[in-house]
Amino acid sequence: MDYDFASEIERVRSDLEAAKTEVMEGVPTGAVRDKLARALDLSLKMNPLTPDHHFYIDQGTNARVRLVLIAIGKKLVKQGVLQVPDDVMYLHYNELRAVMAGSFPGDVSELVSNRRDEREDAYKIRPRDWVGTATEEALSFPYLTLWGFPEKFHRKPPVAENVINGLPASVGVVEGIARVVLSPEEFEQVQKREIVVCRMTSPAWVVLFTRIGGLVTDAGGMASHPAVVSREFSIPAVVGTSDATRRIKTGDRIRVNGSTGQVDILSDL
């Protein structure tokens, strides 16, 4: 049976109107109602700029370009220029053109190896939350509500070694076993009801939210991806801790308080 797009569009439109009516219900006529209506209208106009946009447009475009590059990499492997197709990702555009034309002046294998080492070294670098003087003006604009500022700037240091302070992102308290996840390649290791500790999440990480019991991140603020999605799934979450992935190890038992922003390490592995 053919999919009825017209009926589906009408259903979505009906659901949207019902939701708008629910939001405005009980709000008295006047300045407050007008302000809420304007805010609601702006919010609806921003809906296209959601994680779906990031997933289908930004990541989707890069994924298609990657398919072309990997295809080139496979040909270069057959020619004995590269060891594995993925090595092509370590070459700059003009370098790849020269390699494909057979006119690259240096050792391609050595260049790729050096680039891979540089990438691994870069992963070990953990920058400070800020450098220099963070003025009230700077915290108000452009950093207000971005990356957890100004909340992270005014955050007090932890009171004990086994306490990590972050920002309350999704209410609730959960205790469980921590699972440090640094890349999507580690998703399969996550067990049901574990508490994921990561640097940051993106739309690709949504598949984990049906499985986990809680979330802790190094980066992010109240409007960040991990915070928003955690609230959607009703998962206790603390974001913007800066160093949770360094202080928590897989197997540690931790308590996440998504209402206060505190993470307690109850027992080490």
Side-chain angles (χ1 to χ4, degrees), residues 14-265:
S14 177
D15 288 348
L16 177 59
E17 291 303 320
K20 290 167 61 178
T21 300
E22 183 179 352
V23 170
M24 302 302 295
E25 186 176 357
V27 181
T29 302
V32 173
R33 184 182 180 89
D34 293 341
K35 184 176 181 180
L36 177 59
R38 289 195 297 271
L40 180 59
D41 182 58
L42 287 173
S43 176
L44 292 174
K45 289 179 179 178
M46 288 292 291
N47 277 353
L49 302 178
T50 63
D52 283 347
H53 174 277
H54 178 59
F55 185 80
Y56 289 110
I57 304 301
D58 300 336
Q59 292 190 358
T61 300
N62 290 333
R64 286 163 175 78
V65 173
R66 182 181 175 85
L67 289 175
V68 175
L69 293 174
I70 294 299
I72 294 173
K74 290 179 179 179
K75 290 184 177 296
L76 293 176
V77 169
K78 289 182 179 180
Q79 296 173 9
V81 179
L82 300 178
Q83 297 295 319
V84 294
D86 284 20
D87 284 350
V88 73
M89 306 305 296
Y90 292 98
L91 298 174
H92 298 162
Y93 174 71
N94 284 330
E95 291 170 347
L96 180 57
R97 290 185 62 184
V99 170
M100 292 170 63
S103 59
F104 187 76
D107 186 329
V108 179
S109 297
E110 182 179 359
L111 176 62
V112 167
S113 178
N114 292 338
R115 294 265 171 83
R116 185 183 287 108
D117 291 341
E118 290 172 2
R119 181 172 181 265
E120 293 300 321
D121 290 340
Y123 268 108
K124 300 174 185 177
I125 299 174
R126 303 301 298 274
R128 295 168 50 187
D129 287 334
W130 60 84
V131 177
T133 301
T135 64
E136 290 298 328
E137 181 181 3
L139 291 173
S140 297
F141 181 83
Y143 298 111
L144 182 63
T145 74
L146 294 177
W147 306 295
F149 291 105
E151 293 90 346
K152 287 178 70 171
F153 182 78
H154 296 299
R155 181 175 59 201
K156 295 180 179 179
V159 296
E161 186 177 344
N162 63 337
V163 173
I164 300 173
N165 289 338
L167 305 177
S170 182
V171 297
V173 179
V174 62
E175 289 187 14
I177 302 301
R179 173 71 63 176
V180 179
V181 180
L182 301 181
S183 71
E185 286 73 23
E186 300 175 355
F187 283 0
E188 292 184 357
Q189 301 173 16
V190 179
Q191 303 299 309
K192 193 172 182 62
R193 301 302 298 167
E194 285 186 329
I195 299 172
V196 164
V197 181
C198 62
R199 293 169 180 159
M200 189 56 167
T201 68
S202 70
W205 291 62
V206 174
V207 295
L208 291 180
F209 283 79
T210 59
R211 193 187 319 170
I212 63 178
L215 181 69
V216 181
T217 69
D218 287 348
M222 288 295 292
S224 64
H225 181 272
V228 172
V229 178
S230 292
R231 291 193 291 270
E232 291 176 350
F233 281 84
S234 298
I235 296 172
V238 172
V239 301
T241 63
S242 299
D243 59 357
T245 56
R246 282 182 288 182
R247 297 180 57 189
I248 298 174
K249 302 183 297 296
T250 293
D252 289 350
R253 186 167 186 83
I254 63 176
R255 179 191 300 118
V256 177
N257 191 325
S259 302
T260 64
Q262 181 170 308
V263 179
D264 297 291
I265 304 175

